[in-house]
């Protein structure tokens, strides 16, 4: 075994890394899909009868919030994948932390797009 072969084997991704990246990618895709297919067109079912109505009654406001949160989810996914690739060999907990980060960002993004929480949009 030469030094080059030993180096090549250490560059291989681990199973935890590959599975973690797949889970992160699926979470991000599902979150963005739910935001654009459920939260933006449907949103809350009941709106106040006052004019002007609350922000979440207007599809345009939900679209703006969905766009912002789509970018936030994409950046969080990229950061989690990069951290997994760079750090997971030495720190195996990075994979789980990336998955939890994406899960939390996805839930916050869906809630912000559907109900247009002013602090989160």
């Amino acid at each position: 075994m030469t030094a080059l072969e030993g180096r090549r084997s250490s560059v291989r991704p681990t199973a935890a890394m590959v599975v973690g990246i797949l889970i992160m990618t699926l979470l991000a895709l599902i979150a963005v899909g739910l935001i654009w297919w459920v939260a933006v067109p449907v949103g809350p079912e009941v709106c106040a009868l006052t004019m002007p109505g609350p922000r979440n009654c207007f599809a345009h406001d939900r679209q703006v919030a969905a766009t912002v949160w789509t970018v936030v989810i994409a950046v969080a996914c990229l950061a989690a994948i990069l951290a997994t690739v760079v750090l997971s060999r030495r720190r195996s907990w990075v994979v789980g932390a990336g998955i939890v980060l994406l899960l939390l960002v996805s839930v916050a993004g869906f809630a912000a797009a559907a109900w247009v929480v002013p602090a989160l949009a």
Side-chain angles (χ1 to χ4, degrees), residues 90-112:
R90 287 174 268 148
R91 296 173 183 92
S92 59
W93 57 268
V94 172
V95 178
I99 292 171
V100 170
L101 168 75
L102 270 174
L103 189 60
L104 293 174
V105 169
S106 299
V107 170
F110 183 83

Side-chain angles (χ1 to χ4, degrees), residues 82-94:
L82 284 175
T84 297
V85 169
V86 173
L87 301 173
S88 69
R89 293 191 203 301
R90 287 174 268 148
R91 296 173 183 92
S92 59
W93 57 268
V94 172

Side-chain angles (χ1 to χ4, degrees), residues 21-83:
I21 289 173
L22 285 174
I23 290 172
M24 289 176 211
T25 305
L26 284 174
L27 270 174
L29 291 174
I30 290 170
V32 170
L34 283 175
I35 285 173
W36 284 101
W37 289 324
V38 177
V40 172
V42 178
E45 294 181 15
V46 179
C47 288
L49 294 176
T50 60
M51 286 309 247
R55 293 182 64 201
N56 59 353
C57 287
F58 302 105
H60 173 70
D61 288 333
R62 290 196 302 268
Q63 289 170 351
V64 170
T67 302
V68 169
W69 279 95
T70 299
V71 171
V72 170
I73 290 170
V75 169
C77 183
L78 181 64
I81 288 174
L82 284 175

